[in-house]
Amino acid sequence: MTTAVGADTARKPATMAQALGRALRDAMAADPSVHVLGEDVGTLGGVFRVTDGLAEEFGEDRCTDTPLAEAGILGTAVGMAMYGLRPVVEMQFDAFAYPSFEQLVSHVARMRNRTRGAMPMPITVRVPYGGGIGGVEHHSDSSEIYYMATPGLHVVAPATVADAYGLLRAAIASDDPVIFLEPKRLYWSKADWSADAPERVPPIGRAVVRGPGTGGRRAATLISYGPSVPVCLEAAEAARGEGWDLEVVDLRSLVPFDDETVCASVRRTGRAVVVHEAAGFGGPGGEIAARVTERCFHHLEAPVLRVAGFDIPYPPPMLERHHLPGVDRVLDAVARLQWESEWTEGSAAR
Amino acid sequence: MTVLEQPGAYRPTPPPGWQPRVDAAPLLPDTEPYRVLGTAAAADVSPDLLTRLHRELVRGRRYNAQATALTRQGRLAVYPSSTGQEACQVAAGLVLEDRDWLFPSYRDTLAAVVRGLDPVDALTLLRGDWHSGYDPHAHRVAPLCTPLATQLPHAVGLAHAARLKGDDVVALALVGDGGTSEGDFHEALNFAAVWHAPVVFLVQNNGFAISVPLAKQTAAPSLAHKAVGYGMPGRLVDGNDAAAVHQVLAEAVHRARGGGGPTLVEAVTYRIDAHTNADDATRYRPDSEVEAWRAHDPITLLEDALRDRSLLDDEGVRAARESAERFAADLRTRMHQDPVLDPMELFEHVYAVRTGQLREQAAQLRAELDAEAGEAGKGER
């Protein structure tokens, strides 16, 4: 492919927030049926500035400041989708989305099914989610399990700048509703990225192995998504010194779930740890661990472990570092994967 | 010297920048429900409309009776009757243009049928063979909505989207008195007013939310009064007067189509039957109350008005009833046929493309069905 002289195709440092904004802009430019709506998305450009400039470029009819009412925002988006538009809704913070759950669960997720495919719901719900930014109560929840437990929704969480762009474009293009979880604490993470030649990202539902194993003495798979992916990559780096060879699977999509990539990695390594911020009890990790155990039981050298947030309401900001799974907690779990040394016959004989 | 003129007295001043947004008076509803039948205004209604309303009311009453009978015969899982409310249903079904949209709740199958929907398709949800029996685009009727008031923001969004596309489409959303207590009612009306969306909200105040009477539902002077707070006109109409409901809705639809924004209409009516066949209405209301409303029956009101204008005689009444009887017989016959269901369809419409998980589960069900068929085959030999 040749590039026009002067075109800004150079890879330059870009933040995830910028990439998300660019994805919205490009989607709106490519398809007039794409409409952005939410509280503060217009003049202010969103409290995280993700929608910055959209109202100016596309007008207030395409990027609309709504009344402050999440059920109303999502409920009117349903009607807009019924009439052929592709609404992209912003739920300013994770816990602010709860008033919209009835619309989400009773209508957005089911309308295609209810109408035998006659009325698809091509709605993207952007949810800035998760902790680590020092937010006060109701600003740091990880609510993915509620979405995952609702058939009819896709649930996506990018961990890199490139994925943020690619997955958001895919979400907006999808004929199904997509819950797009934006890891708040990665909004300002930077990567070399080209807005005019963004790299291709596979369709929703495909995981990726980041930092594949290099054949070390002890191997394990860290399964993660969104804000915990960088934590896992850091843990993998640190564990190398301890003789561990850790493969990090970035799920990217929780629904649909990529059993294939996850299980291929676990079969290679024989051990797995699931890492996420959401509470562990009834959390995503339980589902993932069960799936891995069902499919890879004979390859496992140790139980699938979970490193999750505590089973507590999200803590106040001055205590959140004790709650969020960090590198040390992941490494502790990895250490606990040395199962055969304690329990197997072979180790007893030694 | 008044108290406020005394030295050091509290002198109220408006906060900076404050000004009243609108004059509330034009938004306020009438003190009495608006009526046409039995008043001088009845003479101005077109004979064609009155006759059409009558035919539909008689057919609608028969439809309600037939559907209720189908629940006793086990053909419908449940039926929320609109007996007594037919005037609202018929007016709502007739008042829209083809390009407009109707947003019904579970009690509003009659409005959908009046709009042209096949009654068997309208009853699919209540029979239980699927969650909706029709393509909403075919007659511009949204799926029957079971959660209360959640269809109202859909109507607002659709009407807003249509206007953005340059189409002069109006959405008419139906809700009950109980539904006005839900948060979605508030959010929908607020969005509609702020966006100036071409929507008409019709509250069918039938007196009860299952068993809870209006007095325990709201302390507002009327449900139509709620419109004022949102900045849209509220109209109060006799919900058993088909000509009045049609006229008020027609004016609201006309206003919305012309860019005048939304209207809230409260139709005062009564649910003659219980909430559904599973409900015992004698526990929460006296027979005398029901009888009083039977005396204010929408069909009687209209027949009297038609006879006054010599637009109807005994022969006309008989013809309308015979036509309704044929309609009921056809519905009965078709509802007595078992629907043909394909269990594999369960996986068909969850997503545009099946996920890997659903492919696995579909294969599992396929195997179970094949095994069942095999067992059944053995039994036959």
Side-chain angles (χ1 to χ4, degrees):
Chain A
M1 200 180 85
T2 54
T3 334
V5 176
D8 186 17
T9 55
R11 292 165 68 88
K12 291 185 295 195
T15 66
M16 183 182 278
Q18 286 168 338
L20 290 165
R22 182 60 188 237
L24 289 170
R25 186 205 160 274
D26 291 355
M28 291 175 85
D31 180 353
S33 67
V34 176
H35 284 241
V36 169
L37 63 157
E39 165 77 0
D40 299 313
V41 298
T43 309
L44 184 67
V47 292
F48 294 106
R49 302 294 180 270
V50 171
T51 56
D52 196 17
L54 296 179
E56 227 170 304
E57 185 171 352
F58 298 100
E60 288 178 15
D61 283 348
R62 297 278 308 277
C63 179
T64 308
D65 276 334
T66 64
L68 204 172
E70 287 75 11
I73 293 168
L74 192 52
T76 49
V78 169
M80 292 165 77
M82 283 178 166
Y83 206 78
L85 300 185
R86 284 186 181 273
V88 183
V89 158
E90 179 176 302
M91 294 290 165
Q92 202 159 78
F93 283 91
D94 32 55
F96 296 1
Y98 300 151
S100 70
F101 264 44
E102 185 180 18
Q103 285 293 342
L104 186 76
V105 171
S106 295
H107 296 299
V108 174
R110 299 187 200 199
M111 195 65 81
R112 168 188 290 281
N113 189 257
R114 176 181 294 142
T115 60
R116 290 189 150 109
M119 210 164 235
M121 285 283 114
I123 299 176
T124 303
V125 184
R126 294 180 40 241
V127 186
Y129 99 115
I133 62 157
V136 296
E137 197 181 7
H138 306 299
H139 290 71
S140 300
D141 285 16
S142 291
S143 30
E144 58 267 35
I145 196 70
Y146 307 138
Y147 303 112
M148 290 169 67
T150 303
L153 303 176
H154 289 308
V155 185
V156 167
T160 67
V161 172
D163 277 7
Y165 178 89
L167 289 173
L168 186 51
R169 289 299 302 270
I172 295 169
S174 169
D175 285 335
D176 286 319
V178 179
I179 304 299
F180 195 87
L181 300 168
E182 299 177 358
K184 283 194 286 285
R185 69 175 140 131
L186 299 185
Y187 267 148
W188 316 121
S189 65
K190 280 188 179 177
D192 286 343
W193 181 76
S194 165
D196 291 304
E199 59 201 79
R200 286 182 61 80
V201 172
I204 288 171
R206 299 285 294 280
V208 64
V209 177
R210 302 203 188 275
T214 49
R217 189 162 57 88
R218 285 181 196 280
T221 301
L222 303 180
I223 305 166
S224 193
Y225 54 91
S228 295
V229 171
V231 174
C232 290
L233 289 171
E234 205 183 316
E237 191 60 45
R240 193 167 297 147
E242 308 288 322
W244 278 94
D245 189 9
L246 301 182
E247 222 169 81
V248 178
V249 175
D250 174 0
L251 293 173
R252 300 203 278 211
S253 160
L254 292 162
V255 182
F257 189 83
D258 186 353
D259 289 300
E260 207 179 314
T261 302
V262 170
C263 292
S265 173
V266 174
R267 288 188 188 115
R268 269 197 304 275
T269 62
R271 295 176 178 82
V273 180
V274 190
V275 184
H276 60 65
E277 284 184 27
F281 186 82
E287 172 64 27
I288 295 167
R291 303 187 77 81
V292 168
T293 308
E294 284 170 354
R295 286 163 179 75
C296 311
F297 183 72
H298 293 292
H299 294 82
L300 287 171
E301 304 283 346
V304 180
L305 299 181
R306 287 171 291 168
V307 175
F310 295 129
D311 299 332
I312 57 173
Y314 196 87
M318 292 172 81
L319 293 170
E320 69 178 344
R321 70 185 178 87
H322 301 291
H323 168 75
L324 291 172
V327 172
D328 288 346
R329 209 171 279 165
V330 176
L331 290 174
D332 286 348
V334 169
R336 281 192 288 134
L337 289 172
Q338 301 180 67
W339 199 251
E340 80 286 2
S341 61
E342 293 169 48
W343 299 104
T344 60
E345 277 181 43
S347 66
R350 277 198 292 273
Chain B
M1 191 166 70
T2 69
V3 175
L4 284 176
E5 286 162 349
Q6 290 169 5
Y10 168 66
R11 286 184 181 76
T13 53
W18 185 85
Q19 50 185 305
R21 298 286 178 85
V22 289
D23 176 8
L27 307 179
L28 281 165
D30 300 335
T31 47
E32 296 288 328
Y34 176 71
R35 292 200 59 186
V36 167
L37 301 179
T39 75
D44 300 333
V45 186
S46 94
D48 284 354
L49 176 62
L50 281 184
T51 310
R52 178 87 199 271
L53 288 170
H54 177 256
R55 262 204 321 272
E56 293 289 357
L57 279 190
V58 172
R59 186 174 74 136
R61 175 65 51 86
R62 188 64 189 88
Y63 164 81
N64 272 315
Q66 185 57 62
T68 302
L70 287 166
T71 61
R72 297 201 195 99
Q73 293 156 1
R75 281 292 171 181
L76 285 179
V78 66
Y79 183 69
S81 167
S82 60
T83 298
Q85 299 176 225
E86 289 97 341
C88 300
Q89 296 283 304
V90 165
L94 289 182
V95 78
L96 298 175
E97 304 284 338
D98 281 353
R99 62 186 178 285
D100 297 332
W101 278 75
L102 181 73
F103 285 78
S105 80
Y106 56 86
R107 199 183 296 287
D108 304 317
T109 46
L110 176 55
V113 169
V114 171
R115 187 153 166 78
L117 215 68
D118 185 315
V120 173
D121 293 344
L123 291 170
T124 297
L125 169 75
L126 302 167
R127 176 158 66 174
D129 42 313
W130 201 263
H131 300 312
S132 180
Y134 52 93
D135 177 348
H137 300 282
H139 293 279
R140 264 74 62 197
V141 177
L144 302 176
C145 191
T146 310
L148 293 185
T150 53
Q151 76 277 20
L152 305 184
H154 304 173
V156 177
L158 181 136
H160 177 64
R163 205 172 57 135
L164 290 179
K165 286 190 172 188
D167 302 339
D168 65 341
V169 166
V170 175
L172 170 61
L174 307 180
V175 65
D177 42 307
T180 64
S181 299
E182 293 277 4
D184 280 64
F185 172 84
H186 159 66
E187 298 193 19
L189 266 70
N190 192 46
F191 270 69
V194 170
W195 283 354
H196 218 61
V199 193
V200 178
F201 302 99
L202 173 60
V203 180
Q204 293 170 80
N205 171 8
N206 67 11
F208 296 90
I210 301 189
S211 70
V212 179
L214 189 71
K216 290 185 182 175
Q217 198 67 246
T218 181
S222 77
L223 297 172
H225 272 84
K226 290 176 183 267
V228 182
Y230 300 104
M232 70 177 78
R235 298 294 309 275
L236 187 63
V237 61
D238 183 336
N240 287 18
D241 179 338
V245 181
H246 189 276
Q247 187 186 322
V248 168
L249 287 180
E251 284 167 10
V253 166
H254 179 74
R255 183 170 172 273
R257 203 184 308 283
T263 303
L264 174 66
V265 178
E266 176 190 358
V268 182
T269 181
Y270 196 79
R271 195 189 70 215
I272 294 292
D273 289 342
H275 166 60
T276 68
N277 49 301
D279 170 38
D280 176 8
T282 62
R283 291 178 71 107
Y284 53 83
R285 62 189 194 185
D287 288 347
S288 58
E289 185 181 299
V290 182
E291 287 315 309
W293 277 93
R294 280 191 201 280
H296 192 65
D297 186 85
I299 297 179
T300 314
L301 292 178
L302 188 54
E303 285 187 357
D304 289 350
L306 281 161
R307 284 178 196 272
D308 279 352
R309 288 181 58 185
S310 303
L311 294 169
L312 188 73
D313 54 15
D314 290 349
E315 176 55 25
V317 170
R318 200 171 56 81
R321 288 187 186 159
E322 278 174 6
S323 165
E325 205 52 53
R326 284 194 296 276
F327 166 84
D330 173 64
L331 174 59
R332 197 164 53 234
T333 307
R334 292 196 292 137
M335 289 296 287
H336 279 310
Q337 291 160 6
D338 290 328
V340 180
L341 306 178
D342 176 10
M344 295 310 293
E345 200 188 351
L346 290 172
F347 302 99
E348 207 66 49
H349 317 294
V350 185
Y351 297 101
V353 179
R354 273 186 208 178
T355 62
Q357 289 77 44
L358 286 185
R359 281 198 299 274
E360 282 177 19
Q361 291 162 28
Q364 180 194 341
L365 181 60
R366 180 79 269 161
E368 287 172 8
L369 292 171
D370 289 347
E372 259 178 41
E375 287 297 314
K378 272 182 213 161
E380 281 163 19
R381 272 201 297 274

